């Protein structure tokens, strides 16, 4: 039941921020055990959420164009490079058509975008596999080298009320 799940998550992660996406139809939700603050990331569409000393950049890349996703990743990289912040976590609906979450991309621009992110970050959800009912690993969580992934999970039964499964990681 959706209400039971929402209540359980609120108990585990009492702090919540919702970030508008590129087309403002859906939001990326970030839950945390510690208080969150939000600020714009430069002049781009992206925001940075700070929780303790970790900087979280939630994304929802373009749903319909791999070329536009690649451009968004390039802008994101440029914005991140202009800030002197460490402990960065980039997460969300990357919309990179990754078959079964095995790094087999349908579109070459998605492979390029993934590789650009992987130059500076580690994909800590790499072994999770598919994050959707249709077998695509669209949701990714990348972390900088000064962070480590303690645990990760994909709750596959959670897609009853949305088109993606819930993806969780604990990082420090």
């Amino acid at each position: 039941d959706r209400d039971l799940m929402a209540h359980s998550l609120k108990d585990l992660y009492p702090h919540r921020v919702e970030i508008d996406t590129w087309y403002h139809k859906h939001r990326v939700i970030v839950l945390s055990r510690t208080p969150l603050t939000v600020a714009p990331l430069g002049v781009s569409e992206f925001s940075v959420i700070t929780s303790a000393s970790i900087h979280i950049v939630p994304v929802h890349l373009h749903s319909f164009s791999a070329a536009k996703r690649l451009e968004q990743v390039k802008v994101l990289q440029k914005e991140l490079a202009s800030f002197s912040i460490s402990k960065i976590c980039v997460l969300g609906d990357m919309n990179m058509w990754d078959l079964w979450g095995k790094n087999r991309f349908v579109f070459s621009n998605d492979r390029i975008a993934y590789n650009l992110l992987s130059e500076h970050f580690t994909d800590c959800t790499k072994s999770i596999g598919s994050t959707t009912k249709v077998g695509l690993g669209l949701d990714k969580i990348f972390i900088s080298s000064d962070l480590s992934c303690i645990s990760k999970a994909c709750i596959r039964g959670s897609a009853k009320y949305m088109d993606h499964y819930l993806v969780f990681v604990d990082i420090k």
Side-chain angles (χ1 to χ4, degrees):
D1 170 72
R2 185 165 90 180
D3 293 332
L4 178 62
M5 182 183 290
H7 184 68
S8 298
L9 289 175
K10 189 174 183 179
D11 289 343
L12 285 171
Y13 303 98
H15 304 280
R16 168 187 176 141
V17 170
E18 295 183 20
I19 300 294
D20 285 330
T21 62
W22 62 273
Y23 61 103
H24 303 289
K25 185 176 178 183
H26 300 286
R27 292 178 165 191
V28 175
I29 301 171
V30 176
L31 305 172
S32 177
R33 293 185 178 121
T34 59
L36 300 164
T37 58
V38 182
L41 182 65
V43 295
S44 69
E45 67 190 84
F46 302 106
S47 299
V48 62
I49 300 168
T50 303
S51 176
S53 63
I54 297 174
H55 301 88
I56 303 161
V57 181
V59 301
H60 186 186
L61 299 182
H62 200 281
S63 300
F64 311 112
S65 169
K68 288 181 181 176
R69 289 191 290 274
L70 177 57
E71 289 307 311
Q72 286 176 300
V73 167
K74 288 178 180 178
V75 168
L76 176 62
Q77 278 196 307
K78 184 178 177 182
E79 292 287 7
L80 287 171
S82 69
F83 285 87
S84 58
I85 56 176
S86 58
K87 296 187 177 181
I88 301 169
C89 175
V90 179
L91 57 78
D93 183 352
M94 302 289 176
N95 274 315
M96 297 173 189
W97 287 38
D98 177 5
L99 297 174
W100 299 105
K102 304 282 186 190
N103 293 330
R104 292 183 300 216
F105 295 92
V106 174
F107 304 109
S108 60
N109 280 335
D110 284 343
R111 164 60 69 193
I112 295 166
Y114 181 88
N115 288 342
L116 285 173
L117 285 169
S118 296
E119 286 177 8
H120 303 286
F121 301 99
T122 300
D123 179 2
C124 65
T125 52
K126 193 180 226 177
S127 63
I128 284 181
S130 171
T131 61
T132 67
K133 293 183 217 182
V134 296
L136 295 172
L138 299 177
D139 305 282
K140 306 281 185 198
I141 299 175
F142 290 90
I143 58 174
S144 56
S145 61
D146 49 1
L147 293 172
S148 59
C149 182
I150 300 166
S151 64
K152 54 191 162 192
C154 180
I155 302 175
R156 290 195 166 67
S158 63
K160 182 176 180 182
Y161 301 100
M162 57 191 131
D163 64 340
H164 296 250
Y165 301 129
L166 295 175
V167 177
F168 292 89
V169 295
D170 283 313
I171 56 177
K172 71 171 188 170

